[in-house]
Amino acid sequence: MPTLQSMDFPKPQDWQEFERMVHGFCMLKWPDHSISPNGSIGDAQHGVDLYIKNKNGEYIGIQCKLALKDSPLPFKIIEKELERAAQFKPSLKRFIIATTAKRNAQLQEKVNLLSHRRTANGLFDIGLLFWEDIIDMLKSDLKVLRKYYPELPIGPISEDRVTLNVSQNSGTVVGHLHIYQQGSKTSKGVAKRILEGTIGSNTYQLNYVRHLINRYLEYKAKDYHEDKKSMNYAIIYKSIQREMGFKWDEMPVEKFDDFCLYLQKKVDNTKFGRLNKAKGTKNYSSYSDYIKKYLKEK
């Protein structure tokens, strides 16, 4: 089965969203430091989007760069950003370029050599944060990760829930107030509303849909492994919303049968699914069989 650490999360396409994700990374990486955005849109930022002030009063500047798909960050851009960062006041202790580009050994080596030369001359050093570094840190805290990927079922929020009625112009929906236990302290936060009449509000339907999605991810991962390719596990959730018109857990209950048929076909159409069908092996449980098994386990 796919795990959180093995999932390939989609990269942000918007620079503001990426900057927010880098801010989340910094909050986890340096929890005892002061982290702030550098001005607003249109301000002269001197190559610094975020700055970090440590307990010694030293400043770390961070520049966020979206990379072209599958392209490494050009070294000339790093040199250009260094020139701009030199104008930041007060002077930086360290300058980091965060990018959505994948790790690149040749680029890292160039940056390491450049940083070594700079520190030898009394200038601030420079480092790189690749996409893998950023997303791996975000995965370490599910609460933070959910901020950037709220559509993914990446773990339970809480076992304790209080149901509230929330009035809206279009009618009444059901919301949930979750109570989080953090050691000996209790904190409260409002979680995502679960709309009445959706699959998300029906425990049996929700769990069966999860069963089908997990089976699809399991089989698709086998296909990608066989083809020696990297799999993006989040694509299925975007496909569901695009092709079915709703997020997976916000699907109306009256569309449950059609949704199950859609997911079952996707499972059956994987290479591993077709192989199973040829051998007469079931790819998934039927809804009735799943519920019987679910109730028996309960």
Side-chain angles (χ1 to χ4, degrees):
M1 292 292 291
T3 65
L4 180 64
Q5 292 304 317
S6 68
M7 288 181 70
D8 186 10
F9 285 79
K11 301 175 183 178
Q13 302 300 313
D14 177 78
W15 69 266
Q16 291 173 305
E17 180 62 21
F18 181 51
E19 185 176 312
R20 287 190 287 268
M21 295 181 77
V22 174
H23 188 277
F25 169 92
C26 294
M27 294 289 287
L28 294 173
K29 179 72 173 179
W30 297 287
D32 57 344
H33 288 28
S34 172
I35 304 164
S36 305
N38 186 26
S40 303
I41 298 175
D43 291 345
Q45 296 179 301
H46 301 303
V48 174
D49 293 322
L50 302 168
Y51 64 87
I52 303 168
K53 184 179 180 181
N54 64 23
K55 293 181 178 179
N56 297 325
E58 298 169 329
Y59 284 82
I60 301 172
I62 299 182
Q63 169 66 216
C64 303
K65 286 290 184 186
L66 293 177
L68 296 176
K69 185 178 180 181
D70 298 327
S71 298
L73 188 67
F75 186 67
K76 63 181 180 180
I77 288 182
I78 295 174
E79 293 178 310
K80 181 179 179 180
E81 294 301 336
L82 265 176
E83 293 177 4
R84 297 174 61 199
Q87 306 303 316
F88 184 84
K89 302 298 180 185
S91 298
L92 297 173
K93 177 69 174 179
R94 181 171 172 78
F95 181 58
I96 299 172
I97 294 182
T99 176
T100 55
K102 294 181 179 180
R103 289 194 185 105
N104 184 283
Q106 290 77 18
L107 180 62
Q108 184 69 72
E109 183 179 40
K110 284 185 178 181
V111 170
N112 289 343
L113 291 172
L114 175 60
S115 183
H116 180 73
R117 291 195 300 268
R118 290 180 58 83
T119 55
N121 291 315
L123 302 174
F124 62 79
D125 68 356
I126 178 173
L128 290 176
L129 269 179
F130 293 104
W131 173 248
E132 293 94 331
D133 305 314
I134 297 164
I135 195 64
D136 284 349
M137 177 62 75
L138 296 180
K139 287 178 184 178
S140 70
D141 191 310
L142 292 184
K143 185 178 179 181
V144 174
L145 186 62
R146 286 193 194 97
K147 289 171 56 179
Y148 309 110
Y149 298 96
E151 73 277 13
L152 298 184
I154 49 179
I157 296 177
S158 172
E159 293 181 356
D160 301 311
R161 61 175 56 176
V162 180
T163 301
L164 303 174
N165 288 325
V166 183
S167 296
Q168 290 188 335
N169 294 333
S170 59
T172 301
V173 298
V174 175
H176 286 137
L177 174 66
H178 291 272
I179 301 174
Y180 305 92
Q181 299 293 332
Q182 298 178 347
S184 59
K185 297 180 180 180
T186 301
S187 59
K188 296 182 180 180
V190 178
K192 174 184 175 182
R193 286 185 314 218
I194 300 177
L195 300 178
E196 191 172 326
T198 65
I199 288 173
S201 66
N202 185 307
T203 301
Y204 298 141
Q205 291 185 353
L206 181 68
N207 284 322
Y208 182 65
V209 166
R210 279 187 177 139
H211 162 66
L212 293 176
I213 291 176
N214 286 337
R215 185 54 51 86
Y216 171 77
L217 292 173
E218 177 186 353
Y219 284 9
K220 199 66 177 176
K222 293 177 184 291
D223 294 348
Y224 272 80
H225 179 73
E226 182 179 314
D227 295 336
K228 297 182 179 179
K229 295 180 179 179
S230 176
M231 176 178 168
N232 185 340
Y233 287 92
I235 286 179
I236 178 63
Y237 301 101
K238 292 185 179 296
S239 296
I240 290 170
Q241 188 168 0
R242 183 179 64 252
E243 297 175 32
M244 298 294 296
F246 296 89
K247 291 184 178 180
W248 76 281
D249 57 346
E250 294 180 357
M251 195 76 60
V253 292
E254 56 265 26
K255 287 183 171 289
F256 175 69
D257 290 340
D258 291 339
F259 188 26
C260 290
L261 183 61
Y262 164 84
L263 292 173
Q264 289 167 352
K265 286 182 177 178
K266 290 190 76 70
V267 176
D268 289 336
N269 285 332
T270 61
K271 291 181 182 178
F272 197 75
R274 292 196 298 269
L275 181 62
N276 275 346
K277 287 189 70 175
K279 295 188 297 185
T281 303
K282 289 185 178 180
N283 285 321
Y284 40 76
S285 301
S286 66
Y287 180 55
S288 58
D289 287 343
Y290 183 84
I291 294 305
K292 290 177 184 177
K293 182 180 178 181
Y294 180 83
L295 293 174
K296 184 177 181 180
E297 292 176 349
K298 294 287 283 185

